[in-house]
Amino acid sequence: MIICMRQGATKGNAEHVIQAVKDAGLEPAPLFGTERTVIAVLGDERDLDMKKFRAMDGVEKVMPVLRPYRLVSRESHPEDTVVDFGDGVKIGGNNPIAIMAGPCSVETEELLLEIAQEMKKRGVQFLRGGAFKPRTAPYAFQGHGEEALKWMKRAAEKTGLKVVTEIMDTQHVDMMADYIDMYQVGARNMQNFELLKALGRKQKPVLLKRGMSADLDEFLLAAEYIAKEGNSHIVLCERGIRTFCKYSRNTLDLNVIPWVKKMSHLPIIVDPSHGTGSYDMVKPMAMAGVAAGADGLIIEVHPKPEEAWSDGDQSITYKTLDDVLDGINKIAVVMGR
Ligand code: PEP
Ligand code: MN
């Protein structure tokens, strides 16, 4: 941390700050200039409440030097984390690009099984589908709940696919564990800290989607909540953020992928469906995501998008999925995946 004193701050102001730094167990290294004083602070500042220093008389600004997250930082763990689901399915490191695909909402058991079989044929590893749906309107379809989890589990048993589905309530953590392979934390719950902590106390992998207005520190600190409780099986997901661009549902922030790779050891995948909101943008942005270094993709697929119970406009058909996978595979070769 670096503390800059205001021009005109008194020696007494600086001494007061220096004492506060010492009282916090850190080492102050002051530089007394002719115009102003700067106090470098040596030691781990991450447990400090920097706002207290900002509030002290004579202080102009306080600049952190260390990033606020620890366990998920690349500094603490230089090697890439690989999340292992068993049966040879792994996400991260140099493993092949993982593909999660399926409907936005789980609609009927028959349709889910059909989609699962179609996904399996195409080499997809994970069946996605919402049993608990976070809908903007309370009148919209909210998901079939636990019944849909049973259908997902049966479809997984028949096809060998892994199941990833969204959790919205801490009370569902144990109940869901029996049906699924990976919890999905949706964008709207990225900062539901009680949910993150509860998932941190399990050892089941978590797919943590980026909140629609979360910056990189907030995204990684959300992952830190899970890791701090003891669960390091975390996969991040860029799913688009809110910007002034109104031509697409969200703006897929592909910059975040190389940033995450630089700052963290956790794998990151891309959701080109929610990231764009249009079925015809899924292929280019899926390919771009892989080119940017993503470890996988999560894609909404429906045999009749016009009849889907949610997100039909961004869902792709099986035929389009073939084309999308073809594009992804071409980029994956270039990326050595
Ligand atoms: C989803 O994947 O079904 C979903 C609701 O995504 P998000 O949380 O990114 O909006
Ligand atoms: Mn959806």
mmCIF file of all heavy atoms in Angstrom, residues 4-54:
data_model
loop_
_atom_site.group_PDB
_atom_site.id
_atom_site.type_symbol
_atom_site.label_atom_id
_atom_site.label_comp_id
_atom_site.label_asym_id
_atom_site.label_seq_id
_atom_site.Cartn_x
_atom_site.Cartn_y
_atom_site.Cartn_z
ATOM 1 N N CYS A 4 -0.344 8.584 0.054
ATOM 2 C CA CYS A 4 0.153 9.913 -0.335
ATOM 3 C C CYS A 4 -0.499 10.953 0.563
ATOM 4 O O CYS A 4 -1.733 11.009 0.644
ATOM 5 C CB CYS A 4 -0.227 10.253 -1.774
ATOM 6 S SG CYS A 4 0.548 9.207 -2.952
ATOM 7 N N MET A 5 0.309 11.760 1.203
ATOM 8 C CA MET A 5 -0.226 12.843 2.034
ATOM 9 C C MET A 5 -0.542 14.032 1.124
ATOM 10 O O MET A 5 0.064 14.209 0.065
ATOM 11 C CB MET A 5 0.791 13.243 3.115
ATOM 12 C CG MET A 5 1.235 12.100 4.030
ATOM 13 S SD MET A 5 -0.110 11.289 4.921
ATOM 14 C CE MET A 5 -0.611 12.582 6.067
ATOM 15 N N ARG A 6 -1.479 14.842 1.563
ATOM 16 C CA ARG A 6 -1.822 16.061 0.807
ATOM 17 C C ARG A 6 -0.692 17.070 0.872
ATOM 18 O O ARG A 6 0.036 17.092 1.863
ATOM 19 C CB ARG A 6 -2.987 16.785 1.485
ATOM 20 C CG ARG A 6 -4.316 16.297 1.159
ATOM 21 C CD ARG A 6 -5.359 17.147 1.890
ATOM 22 N NE ARG A 6 -6.446 16.273 2.271
ATOM 23 C CZ ARG A 6 -7.275 15.721 1.398
ATOM 24 N NH1 ARG A 6 -7.162 15.989 0.109
ATOM 25 N NH2 ARG A 6 -8.211 14.912 1.790
ATOM 26 N N GLN A 7 -0.680 17.933 -0.157
ATOM 27 C CA GLN A 7 0.242 19.063 -0.076
ATOM 28 C C GLN A 7 -0.213 19.909 1.121
ATOM 29 O O GLN A 7 -1.414 20.127 1.285
ATOM 30 C CB GLN A 7 0.119 19.889 -1.363
ATOM 31 C CG GLN A 7 1.301 20.735 -1.604
ATOM 32 C CD GLN A 7 1.213 21.381 -2.978
ATOM 33 O OE1 GLN A 7 0.147 21.494 -3.576
ATOM 34 N NE2 GLN A 7 2.344 21.821 -3.480
ATOM 35 N N GLY A 8 0.698 20.299 1.964
ATOM 36 C CA GLY A 8 0.309 21.116 3.124
ATOM 37 C C GLY A 8 -0.042 20.305 4.361
ATOM 38 O O GLY A 8 -0.326 20.886 5.411
ATOM 39 N N ALA A 9 -0.042 18.978 4.227
ATOM 40 C CA ALA A 9 -0.294 18.156 5.426
ATOM 41 C C ALA A 9 0.855 18.381 6.398
ATOM 42 O O ALA A 9 2.002 18.562 5.977
ATOM 43 C CB ALA A 9 -0.383 16.680 5.040
ATOM 44 N N THR A 10 0.557 18.352 7.667
ATOM 45 C CA THR A 10 1.614 18.657 8.643
ATOM 46 C C THR A 10 2.451 17.413 8.934
ATOM 47 O O THR A 10 2.035 16.278 8.634
ATOM 48 C CB THR A 10 0.995 19.133 9.968
ATOM 49 O OG1 THR A 10 0.233 18.046 10.500
ATOM 50 C CG2 THR A 10 0.092 20.347 9.756
ATOM 51 N N LYS A 11 3.610 17.661 9.545
ATOM 52 C CA LYS A 11 4.472 16.557 9.963
ATOM 53 C C LYS A 11 3.705 15.686 10.968
ATOM 54 O O LYS A 11 3.798 14.457 10.955
ATOM 55 C CB LYS A 11 5.749 17.135 10.598
ATOM 56 C CG LYS A 11 6.811 16.105 10.845
ATOM 57 C CD LYS A 11 8.211 16.651 10.528
ATOM 58 C CE LYS A 11 9.242 15.537 10.494
ATOM 59 N NZ LYS A 11 9.696 15.127 11.809
ATOM 60 N N GLY A 12 2.921 16.372 11.799
ATOM 61 C CA GLY A 12 2.111 15.654 12.798
ATOM 62 C C GLY A 12 1.114 14.707 12.131
ATOM 63 O O GLY A 12 0.921 13.577 12.588
ATOM 64 N N ASN A 13 0.501 15.160 11.010
ATOM 65 C CA ASN A 13 -0.437 14.283 10.266
ATOM 66 C C ASN A 13 0.301 13.018 9.820
ATOM 67 O O ASN A 13 -0.185 11.897 9.987
ATOM 68 C CB ASN A 13 -0.977 14.969 9.009
ATOM 69 C CG ASN A 13 -1.923 16.131 9.267
ATOM 70 O OD1 ASN A 13 -2.004 17.062 8.477
ATOM 71 N ND2 ASN A 13 -2.636 16.088 10.376
ATOM 72 N N ALA A 14 1.498 13.223 9.231
ATOM 73 C CA ALA A 14 2.267 12.085 8.711
ATOM 74 C C ALA A 14 2.659 11.147 9.849
ATOM 75 O O ALA A 14 2.556 9.914 9.720
ATOM 76 C CB ALA A 14 3.505 12.582 7.965
ATOM 77 N N GLU A 15 3.063 11.724 10.959
ATOM 78 C CA GLU A 15 3.486 10.879 12.087
ATOM 79 C C GLU A 15 2.314 10.048 12.621
ATOM 80 O O GLU A 15 2.473 8.893 13.002
ATOM 81 C CB GLU A 15 4.085 11.750 13.199
ATOM 82 C CG GLU A 15 5.551 12.074 12.903
ATOM 83 C CD GLU A 15 6.088 13.228 13.744
ATOM 84 O OE1 GLU A 15 5.335 13.751 14.586
ATOM 85 O OE2 GLU A 15 7.249 13.598 13.508
ATOM 86 N N HIS A 16 1.139 10.643 12.573
ATOM 87 C CA HIS A 16 -0.067 9.958 13.027
ATOM 88 C C HIS A 16 -0.344 8.735 12.132
ATOM 89 O O HIS A 16 -0.645 7.637 12.601
ATOM 90 C CB HIS A 16 -1.224 10.973 12.969
ATOM 91 C CG HIS A 16 -2.389 10.593 13.792
ATOM 92 N ND1 HIS A 16 -3.620 11.175 13.659
ATOM 93 C CD2 HIS A 16 -2.532 9.676 14.768
ATOM 94 C CE1 HIS A 16 -4.454 10.615 14.512
ATOM 95 N NE2 HIS A 16 -3.815 9.705 15.196
ATOM 96 N N VAL A 17 -0.190 8.955 10.822
ATOM 97 C CA VAL A 17 -0.406 7.852 9.869
ATOM 98 C C VAL A 17 0.653 6.772 10.078
ATOM 99 O O VAL A 17 0.348 5.568 10.099
ATOM 100 C CB VAL A 17 -0.391 8.380 8.406
ATOM 101 C CG1 VAL A 17 -0.436 7.224 7.414
ATOM 102 C CG2 VAL A 17 -1.564 9.325 8.175
ATOM 103 N N ILE A 18 1.903 7.204 10.248
ATOM 104 C CA ILE A 18 3.002 6.241 10.441
ATOM 105 C C ILE A 18 2.727 5.373 11.678
ATOM 106 O O ILE A 18 2.889 4.147 11.649
ATOM 107 C CB ILE A 18 4.348 6.998 10.561
ATOM 108 C CG1 ILE A 18 4.726 7.569 9.191
ATOM 109 C CG2 ILE A 18 5.459 6.090 11.088
ATOM 110 C CD1 ILE A 18 5.847 8.593 9.211
ATOM 111 N N GLN A 19 2.252 5.999 12.727
ATOM 112 C CA GLN A 19 1.949 5.236 13.949
ATOM 113 C C GLN A 19 0.805 4.246 13.694
ATOM 114 O O GLN A 19 0.849 3.099 14.146
ATOM 115 C CB GLN A 19 1.589 6.209 15.083
ATOM 116 C CG GLN A 19 1.476 5.524 16.452
ATOM 117 C CD GLN A 19 2.755 4.748 16.833
ATOM 118 O OE1 GLN A 19 3.873 5.260 16.722
ATOM 119 N NE2 GLN A 19 2.591 3.481 17.238
ATOM 120 N N ALA A 20 -0.198 4.692 12.907
ATOM 121 C CA ALA A 20 -1.341 3.802 12.616
ATOM 122 C C ALA A 20 -0.888 2.591 11.799
ATOM 123 O O ALA A 20 -1.388 1.476 11.989
ATOM 124 C CB ALA A 20 -2.420 4.589 11.866
ATOM 125 N N VAL A 21 0.076 2.821 10.904
ATOM 126 C CA VAL A 21 0.612 1.702 10.107
ATOM 127 C C VAL A 21 1.313 0.712 11.042
ATOM 128 O O VAL A 21 1.109 -0.506 10.961
ATOM 129 C CB VAL A 21 1.592 2.231 9.022
ATOM 130 C CG1 VAL A 21 2.361 1.074 8.373
ATOM 131 C CG2 VAL A 21 0.830 3.032 7.959
ATOM 132 N N LYS A 22 2.112 1.243 11.961
ATOM 133 C CA LYS A 22 2.824 0.366 12.918
ATOM 134 C C LYS A 22 1.821 -0.383 13.793
ATOM 135 O O LYS A 22 1.975 -1.575 14.047
ATOM 136 C CB LYS A 22 3.747 1.207 13.813
ATOM 137 C CG LYS A 22 4.987 1.703 13.095
ATOM 138 C CD LYS A 22 5.874 2.447 14.089
ATOM 139 C CE LYS A 22 7.029 3.126 13.387
ATOM 140 N NZ LYS A 22 7.599 4.226 14.192
ATOM 141 N N ASP A 23 0.778 0.332 14.238
ATOM 142 C CA ASP A 23 -0.224 -0.302 15.093
ATOM 143 C C ASP A 23 -0.923 -1.445 14.360
ATOM 144 O O ASP A 23 -1.396 -2.393 14.982
ATOM 145 C CB ASP A 23 -1.286 0.718 15.541
ATOM 146 C CG ASP A 23 -0.702 1.745 16.512
ATOM 147 O OD1 ASP A 23 0.424 1.526 17.021
ATOM 148 O OD2 ASP A 23 -1.360 2.784 16.733
ATOM 149 N N ALA A 24 -0.961 -1.336 13.026
ATOM 150 C CA ALA A 24 -1.603 -2.406 12.229
ATOM 151 C C ALA A 24 -0.633 -3.560 11.968
ATOM 152 O O ALA A 24 -0.962 -4.497 11.248
ATOM 153 C CB ALA A 24 -2.108 -1.817 10.918
ATOM 154 N N GLY A 25 0.577 -3.463 12.517
ATOM 155 C CA GLY A 25 1.543 -4.561 12.379
ATOM 156 C C GLY A 25 2.341 -4.513 11.084
ATOM 157 O O GLY A 25 2.983 -5.494 10.707
ATOM 158 N N LEU A 26 2.293 -3.395 10.377
ATOM 159 C CA LEU A 26 3.034 -3.277 9.122
ATOM 160 C C LEU A 26 4.174 -2.275 9.288
ATOM 161 O O LEU A 26 4.253 -1.541 10.282
ATOM 162 C CB LEU A 26 2.090 -2.842 7.999
ATOM 163 C CG LEU A 26 0.924 -3.812 7.740
ATOM 164 C CD1 LEU A 26 0.014 -3.264 6.671
ATOM 165 C CD2 LEU A 26 1.433 -5.178 7.313
ATOM 166 N N GLU A 27 5.055 -2.262 8.278
ATOM 167 C CA GLU A 27 6.250 -1.426 8.403
ATOM 168 C C GLU A 27 6.137 -0.196 7.500
ATOM 169 O O GLU A 27 6.064 -0.339 6.273
ATOM 170 C CB GLU A 27 7.459 -2.265 7.978
ATOM 171 C CG GLU A 27 8.774 -1.671 8.386
ATOM 172 C CD GLU A 27 9.930 -2.480 7.773
ATOM 173 O OE1 GLU A 27 9.817 -3.717 7.680
ATOM 174 O OE2 GLU A 27 10.901 -1.843 7.365
ATOM 175 N N PRO A 28 6.135 1.005 8.060
ATOM 176 C CA PRO A 28 6.068 2.206 7.224
ATOM 177 C C PRO A 28 7.441 2.590 6.696
ATOM 178 O O PRO A 28 8.439 2.451 7.393
ATOM 179 C CB PRO A 28 5.555 3.285 8.182
ATOM 180 C CG PRO A 28 5.945 2.807 9.550
ATOM 181 C CD PRO A 28 6.121 1.323 9.506
ATOM 182 N N ALA A 29 7.499 3.019 5.437
ATOM 183 C CA ALA A 29 8.763 3.513 4.856
ATOM 184 C C ALA A 29 8.451 4.904 4.292
ATOM 185 O O ALA A 29 8.126 5.053 3.112
ATOM 186 C CB ALA A 29 9.245 2.560 3.769
ATOM 187 N N PRO A 30 8.530 5.944 5.140
ATOM 188 C CA PRO A 30 8.147 7.286 4.678
ATOM 189 C C PRO A 30 9.208 7.972 3.846
ATOM 190 O O PRO A 30 10.408 7.757 4.060
ATOM 191 C CB PRO A 30 7.917 8.052 5.990
ATOM 192 C CG PRO A 30 8.673 7.306 7.035
ATOM 193 C CD PRO A 30 8.903 5.908 6.564
ATOM 194 N N LEU A 31 8.774 8.745 2.891
ATOM 195 C CA LEU A 31 9.676 9.585 2.076
ATOM 196 C C LEU A 31 9.186 11.008 2.276
ATOM 197 O O LEU A 31 8.082 11.350 1.849
ATOM 198 C CB LEU A 31 9.553 9.210 0.591
ATOM 199 C CG LEU A 31 9.950 7.799 0.207
ATOM 200 C CD1 LEU A 31 9.444 7.470 -1.182
ATOM 201 C CD2 LEU A 31 11.472 7.675 0.259
ATOM 202 N N PHE A 32 9.988 11.823 2.963
ATOM 203 C CA PHE A 32 9.575 13.203 3.229
ATOM 204 C C PHE A 32 10.101 14.089 2.108
ATOM 205 O O PHE A 32 11.306 14.340 2.031
ATOM 206 C CB PHE A 32 10.104 13.671 4.594
ATOM 207 C CG PHE A 32 9.494 12.908 5.751
ATOM 208 C CD1 PHE A 32 10.181 11.867 6.354
ATOM 209 C CD2 PHE A 32 8.221 13.226 6.215
ATOM 210 C CE1 PHE A 32 9.614 11.157 7.413
ATOM 211 C CE2 PHE A 32 7.650 12.522 7.280
ATOM 212 C CZ PHE A 32 8.353 11.483 7.872
ATOM 213 N N GLY A 33 9.224 14.515 1.204
ATOM 214 C CA GLY A 33 9.646 15.405 0.113
ATOM 215 C C GLY A 33 9.492 16.855 0.535
ATOM 216 O O GLY A 33 8.973 17.138 1.618
ATOM 217 N N THR A 34 9.907 17.762 -0.344
ATOM 218 C CA THR A 34 9.741 19.167 0.016
ATOM 219 C C THR A 34 8.276 19.573 -0.125
ATOM 220 O O THR A 34 7.764 20.380 0.638
ATOM 221 C CB THR A 34 10.610 20.068 -0.889
ATOM 222 O OG1 THR A 34 10.501 19.591 -2.214
ATOM 223 C CG2 THR A 34 12.064 20.066 -0.455
ATOM 224 N N GLU A 35 7.576 18.979 -1.119
ATOM 225 C CA GLU A 35 6.176 19.361 -1.353
ATOM 226 C C GLU A 35 5.205 18.496 -0.567
ATOM 227 O O GLU A 35 4.201 18.956 -0.081
ATOM 228 C CB GLU A 35 5.841 19.205 -2.836
ATOM 229 C CG GLU A 35 6.709 20.023 -3.757
ATOM 230 C CD GLU A 35 5.939 21.170 -4.365
ATOM 231 O OE1 GLU A 35 4.721 21.015 -4.553
ATOM 232 O OE2 GLU A 35 6.567 22.217 -4.630
ATOM 233 N N ARG A 36 5.478 17.212 -0.545
ATOM 234 C CA ARG A 36 4.566 16.311 0.159
ATOM 235 C C ARG A 36 5.272 15.045 0.597
ATOM 236 O O ARG A 36 6.366 14.742 0.154
ATOM 237 C CB ARG A 36 3.342 15.988 -0.703
ATOM 238 C CG ARG A 36 3.660 15.365 -2.019
ATOM 239 C CD ARG A 36 2.402 14.933 -2.722
ATOM 240 N NE ARG A 36 1.778 15.995 -3.505
ATOM 241 C CZ ARG A 36 0.456 16.122 -3.631
ATOM 242 N NH1 ARG A 36 -0.359 15.329 -3.015
ATOM 243 N NH2 ARG A 36 -0.039 17.063 -4.395
ATOM 244 N N THR A 37 4.567 14.301 1.441
ATOM 245 C CA THR A 37 5.141 13.076 2.008
ATOM 246 C C THR A 37 4.399 11.867 1.447
ATOM 247 O O THR A 37 3.174 11.893 1.289
ATOM 248 C CB THR A 37 4.998 13.112 3.548
ATOM 249 O OG1 THR A 37 5.736 14.229 4.013
ATOM 250 C CG2 THR A 37 5.503 11.843 4.201
ATOM 251 N N VAL A 38 5.179 10.853 1.120
ATOM 252 C CA VAL A 38 4.598 9.592 0.637
ATOM 253 C C VAL A 38 5.042 8.499 1.607
ATOM 254 O O VAL A 38 6.222 8.434 1.971
ATOM 255 C CB VAL A 38 5.101 9.283 -0.797
ATOM 256 C CG1 VAL A 38 4.639 7.904 -1.247
ATOM 257 C CG2 VAL A 38 4.619 10.349 -1.768
ATOM 258 N N ILE A 39 4.097 7.660 2.018
ATOM 259 C CA ILE A 39 4.452 6.591 2.964
ATOM 260 C C ILE A 39 4.199 5.240 2.292
ATOM 261 O O ILE A 39 3.051 4.880 2.016
ATOM 262 C CB ILE A 39 3.616 6.707 4.261
ATOM 263 C CG1 ILE A 39 3.823 8.096 4.886
ATOM 264 C CG2 ILE A 39 3.987 5.587 5.240
ATOM 265 C CD1 ILE A 39 2.760 8.480 5.899
ATOM 266 N N ALA A 40 5.286 4.536 1.990
ATOM 267 C CA ALA A 40 5.134 3.177 1.463
ATOM 268 C C ALA A 40 4.917 2.264 2.661
ATOM 269 O O ALA A 40 5.493 2.482 3.724
ATOM 270 C CB ALA A 40 6.382 2.778 0.699
ATOM 271 N N VAL A 41 4.067 1.269 2.482
ATOM 272 C CA VAL A 41 3.784 0.365 3.594
ATOM 273 C C VAL A 41 4.218 -1.041 3.190
ATOM 274 O O VAL A 41 3.755 -1.579 2.174
ATOM 275 C CB VAL A 41 2.275 0.388 3.935
ATOM 276 C CG1 VAL A 41 1.965 -0.608 5.041
ATOM 277 C CG2 VAL A 41 1.857 1.798 4.344
ATOM 278 N N LEU A 42 5.133 -1.621 3.967
ATOM 279 C CA LEU A 42 5.642 -2.953 3.655
ATOM 280 C C LEU A 42 4.887 -3.990 4.481
ATOM 281 O O LEU A 42 4.597 -3.751 5.654
ATOM 282 C CB LEU A 42 7.141 -3.033 3.958
ATOM 283 C CG LEU A 42 7.990 -1.905 3.331
ATOM 284 C CD1 LEU A 42 9.454 -2.029 3.746
ATOM 285 C CD2 LEU A 42 7.877 -1.934 1.804
ATOM 286 N N GLY A 43 4.584 -5.133 3.856
ATOM 287 C CA GLY A 43 3.845 -6.189 4.562
ATOM 288 C C GLY A 43 2.536 -6.472 3.842
ATOM 289 O O GLY A 43 2.193 -5.796 2.875
ATOM 290 N N ASP A 44 1.830 -7.479 4.328
ATOM 291 C CA ASP A 44 0.582 -7.877 3.660
ATOM 292 C C ASP A 44 -0.562 -6.962 4.095
ATOM 293 O O ASP A 44 -1.010 -6.999 5.236
ATOM 294 C CB ASP A 44 0.253 -9.333 3.998
ATOM 295 C CG ASP A 44 -0.818 -9.882 3.072
ATOM 296 O OD1 ASP A 44 -1.606 -9.076 2.527
ATOM 297 O OD2 ASP A 44 -0.853 -11.107 2.873
ATOM 298 N N GLU A 45 -0.998 -6.142 3.162
ATOM 299 C CA GLU A 45 -1.998 -5.114 3.473
ATOM 300 C C GLU A 45 -3.433 -5.624 3.338
ATOM 301 O O GLU A 45 -4.382 -4.894 3.590
ATOM 302 C CB GLU A 45 -1.811 -3.951 2.490
ATOM 303 C CG GLU A 45 -2.231 -4.340 1.077
ATOM 304 C CD GLU A 45 -1.498 -3.615 -0.026
ATOM 305 O OE1 GLU A 45 -0.335 -3.235 0.172
ATOM 306 O OE2 GLU A 45 -2.101 -3.451 -1.098
ATOM 307 N N ARG A 46 -3.591 -6.907 2.908
ATOM 308 C CA ARG A 46 -4.926 -7.332 2.498
ATOM 309 C C ARG A 46 -5.939 -7.449 3.628
ATOM 310 O O ARG A 46 -7.132 -7.439 3.368
ATOM 311 C CB ARG A 46 -4.836 -8.642 1.702
ATOM 312 C CG ARG A 46 -4.255 -8.384 0.327
ATOM 313 C CD ARG A 46 -4.032 -9.636 -0.444
ATOM 314 N NE ARG A 46 -2.963 -10.416 0.135
ATOM 315 C CZ ARG A 46 -2.308 -11.381 -0.502
ATOM 316 N NH1 ARG A 46 -2.617 -11.660 -1.753
ATOM 317 N NH2 ARG A 46 -1.342 -12.054 0.082
ATOM 318 N N ASP A 47 -5.440 -7.543 4.876
ATOM 319 C CA ASP A 47 -6.393 -7.602 5.986
ATOM 320 C C ASP A 47 -6.758 -6.218 6.513
ATOM 321 O O ASP A 47 -7.592 -6.089 7.390
ATOM 322 C CB ASP A 47 -5.807 -8.430 7.147
ATOM 323 C CG ASP A 47 -5.727 -9.900 6.777
ATOM 324 O OD1 ASP A 47 -6.538 -10.331 5.940
ATOM 325 O OD2 ASP A 47 -4.840 -10.592 7.297
ATOM 326 N N LEU A 48 -6.103 -5.200 5.968
ATOM 327 C CA LEU A 48 -6.343 -3.842 6.475
ATOM 328 C C LEU A 48 -7.610 -3.247 5.892
ATOM 329 O O LEU A 48 -7.960 -3.519 4.749
ATOM 330 C CB LEU A 48 -5.208 -2.908 6.033
ATOM 331 C CG LEU A 48 -3.866 -3.014 6.703
ATOM 332 C CD1 LEU A 48 -2.994 -1.885 6.185
ATOM 333 C CD2 LEU A 48 -4.030 -2.916 8.211
ATOM 334 N N ASP A 49 -8.214 -2.381 6.646
ATOM 335 C CA ASP A 49 -9.318 -1.604 6.103
ATOM 336 C C ASP A 49 -8.716 -0.294 5.596
ATOM 337 O O ASP A 49 -8.441 0.618 6.377
ATOM 338 C CB ASP A 49 -10.353 -1.349 7.205
ATOM 339 C CG ASP A 49 -11.534 -0.549 6.681
ATOM 340 O OD1 ASP A 49 -11.536 -0.193 5.481
ATOM 341 O OD2 ASP A 49 -12.440 -0.271 7.480
ATOM 342 N N MET A 50 -8.469 -0.235 4.283
ATOM 343 C CA MET A 50 -7.777 0.943 3.733
ATOM 344 C C MET A 50 -8.591 2.219 3.890
ATOM 345 O O MET A 50 -8.049 3.313 3.893
ATOM 346 C CB MET A 50 -7.462 0.714 2.269
ATOM 347 C CG MET A 50 -6.367 -0.310 2.128
ATOM 348 S SD MET A 50 -5.817 -0.428 0.460
ATOM 349 C CE MET A 50 -5.206 -2.083 0.523
ATOM 350 N N LYS A 51 -9.899 2.039 3.990
ATOM 351 C CA LYS A 51 -10.759 3.226 4.114
ATOM 352 C C LYS A 51 -10.431 4.016 5.373
ATOM 353 O O LYS A 51 -10.597 5.225 5.415
ATOM 354 C CB LYS A 51 -12.224 2.808 4.126
ATOM 355 C CG LYS A 51 -12.643 2.326 2.762
ATOM 356 C CD LYS A 51 -14.122 2.135 2.668
ATOM 357 C CE LYS A 51 -14.476 1.716 1.260
ATOM 358 N NZ LYS A 51 -15.402 0.632 1.211
ATOM 359 N N LYS A 52 -9.952 3.315 6.410
ATOM 360 C CA LYS A 52 -9.591 4.010 7.651
ATOM 361 C C LYS A 52 -8.440 4.970 7.394
ATOM 362 O O LYS A 52 -8.411 6.076 7.922
ATOM 363 C CB LYS A 52 -9.141 2.989 8.698
ATOM 364 C CG LYS A 52 -10.266 2.353 9.417
ATOM 365 C CD LYS A 52 -9.728 1.606 10.623
ATOM 366 C CE LYS A 52 -10.809 0.727 11.183
ATOM 367 N NZ LYS A 52 -10.284 -0.403 11.913
ATOM 368 N N PHE A 53 -7.474 4.523 6.571
ATOM 369 C CA PHE A 53 -6.331 5.396 6.277
ATOM 370 C C PHE A 53 -6.773 6.574 5.415
ATOM 371 O O PHE A 53 -6.315 7.688 5.594
ATOM 372 C CB PHE A 53 -5.211 4.600 5.593
ATOM 373 C CG PHE A 53 -4.520 3.666 6.546
ATOM 374 C CD1 PHE A 53 -4.955 2.364 6.715
ATOM 375 C CD2 PHE A 53 -3.455 4.108 7.315
ATOM 376 C CE1 PHE A 53 -4.339 1.508 7.612
ATOM 377 C CE2 PHE A 53 -2.831 3.266 8.228
ATOM 378 C CZ PHE A 53 -3.271 1.952 8.375
ATOM 379 N N ARG A 54 -7.700 6.285 4.497
ATOM 380 C CA ARG A 54 -8.202 7.360 3.635
ATOM 381 C C ARG A 54 -8.890 8.446 4.447
ATOM 382 O O ARG A 54 -8.932 9.601 4.051
ATOM 383 C CB ARG A 54 -9.208 6.787 2.629
ATOM 384 C CG ARG A 54 -8.590 6.609 1.274
ATOM 385 C CD ARG A 54 -9.589 6.101 0.255
ATOM 386 N NE ARG A 54 -8.925 5.081 -0.512
ATOM 387 C CZ ARG A 54 -9.402 3.874 -0.738
ATOM 388 N NH1 ARG A 54 -10.593 3.530 -0.308
ATOM 389 N NH2 ARG A 54 -8.701 3.022 -1.425
#
